[in-house]
Amino acid sequence: MSASYPRPYAVDHPHQHALEGHALDARPGAVLLARSPFYPGGGGQLADRGTLTWNGIVRDVVGFEHSLDGLWHLIAGDMAPAGLIHLQIATSFRQLMCEQHTVAHLVNSAVYRLFDGALLTGVRMTDGTEFSVDFDLTKLSPEQLRAVEDAVNAAIADDRPVRAFDMNYDDAQAKDGLFRAKSVAPPRQPNGLIRIVDIDGLDQQACGGTHLASTGQARRIRILKVDNKGRQNRRFRIGLTD
């Protein structure tokens, strides 16, 4: 049975891009911190980029390790951080991840509604203006693709608030539509709860990533292409427009 780790601080504070704190533990090339503005990645979302600074020394964060006590930050080089540590994420990259993740929810919502509950099979966010979302679908018509694109852009234009709340994991599983992935789902938290992301009046689903504060902060999208990735898997290639 896999360990159930506390969820990252960044999930509940996506707009906090810097923090200071003392190490809980350290070793060459790594430091354990109780709180961190860094999102360590997961669910198709890329890990945050940024730096740690202590005693005038600055090092890039190159990876993460989960722990029941907190999050280990792996840094370039073999120094062991000590004293007061300043953590700073790359703000523009976090904004891009929040935008792509929020748009992915909008695409998911439109596909789920227009294709009789079609489930998500994968998300691949990137460091550019294009990313992909996969669904358990067999075929699509040009008219159906336009309907998905129009629904997403309408939700962006509506500027709907995006919020999150916790609910009992078993209650969430019993409610239709909160778990949208075909084979994976956000894990049960140590307290028996699951985080639900709510796009006001439009969509609710279990999710452990970071998001925009409202849909209007996202750019309009175009569905650039749909690839066949198996007999019953279609990859939507999404482009964020200027």
Side-chain angles (χ1 to χ4, degrees):
M1 187 175 186
S2 61
S4 185
Y5 299 109
R7 73 187 184 201
Y9 175 85
V11 169
D12 297 314
H13 303 86
H15 307 298
Q16 176 136 24
H17 298 159
L19 278 174
E20 287 188 338
H22 291 272
L24 298 177
D25 197 0
R27 64 177 193 260
V31 60
L32 176 64
L33 294 150
R35 292 197 313 161
S36 171
F38 284 85
Y39 180 73
Q45 181 173 336
L46 302 178
D48 278 326
R49 302 166 182 178
T51 58
L52 299 188
T53 303
W54 73 98
N55 296 331
I57 301 166
V58 182
R59 290 291 183 271
D60 290 333
V61 175
V62 298
F64 302 92
E65 291 178 3
H66 290 279
S67 163
L68 294 176
D69 297 318
L71 189 66
W72 282 93
H73 296 60
L74 312 181
I75 60 171
D78 58 1
M79 300 187 72
L84 184 64
I85 300 169
H86 179 81
L87 303 91
Q88 177 69 54
I89 69 168
T91 299
S92 60
F93 184 77
R94 164 64 69 77
Q95 176 69 16
L96 179 64
M97 291 297 97
C98 288
E99 181 180 23
Q100 289 187 12
H101 208 148
T102 302
V103 168
H105 276 232
L106 295 177
V107 175
N108 189 331
S109 174
V111 169
Y112 187 79
R113 176 169 49 84
L114 294 170
F115 294 91
D116 298 321
L119 295 177
L120 182 77
T121 55
V123 179
R124 293 163 186 82
M125 300 184 201
T126 73
D127 59 3
T129 58
E130 298 180 13
F131 67 102
S132 64
V133 189
D134 292 12
F135 294 98
D136 182 21
L137 289 170
T138 55
K139 59 182 180 180
L140 307 101
S141 69
E143 292 76 20
Q144 288 172 316
L145 286 180
R146 283 195 293 272
V148 172
E149 185 175 287
D150 289 347
V152 172
N153 286 327
I156 291 171
D158 287 344
D159 195 19
R160 296 172 182 265
V162 181
R163 306 181 182 91
F165 61 91
D166 289 330
M167 69 182 298
N168 179 274
Y169 187 93
D170 294 330
D171 290 344
Q173 281 197 316
K175 186 174 180 180
D176 288 342
L178 292 187
F179 290 85
R180 298 278 181 79
K182 186 174 182 179
S183 58
V184 297
R188 184 193 300 263
Q189 296 167 190
N191 58 6
L193 302 178
I194 187 77
R195 180 173 179 261
I196 306 297
V197 171
D198 174 78
I199 299 176
D200 189 49
L202 180 67
D203 186 65
Q204 287 186 350
Q205 57 183 288
C207 179
T210 63
H211 293 270
L212 299 173
S214 70
T215 60
Q217 295 177 4
R219 287 167 281 188
R220 289 173 57 86
I221 69 138
R222 288 185 58 208
I223 299 177
L224 304 174
K225 186 180 180 183
V226 176
D227 296 329
N228 294 343
K229 293 294 180 179
R231 185 177 63 84
Q232 196 159 334
N233 192 74
R234 298 296 176 265
R235 177 166 298 167
F236 288 57
R237 298 193 180 275
I238 308 298
L240 302 171
T241 65
D242 293 329

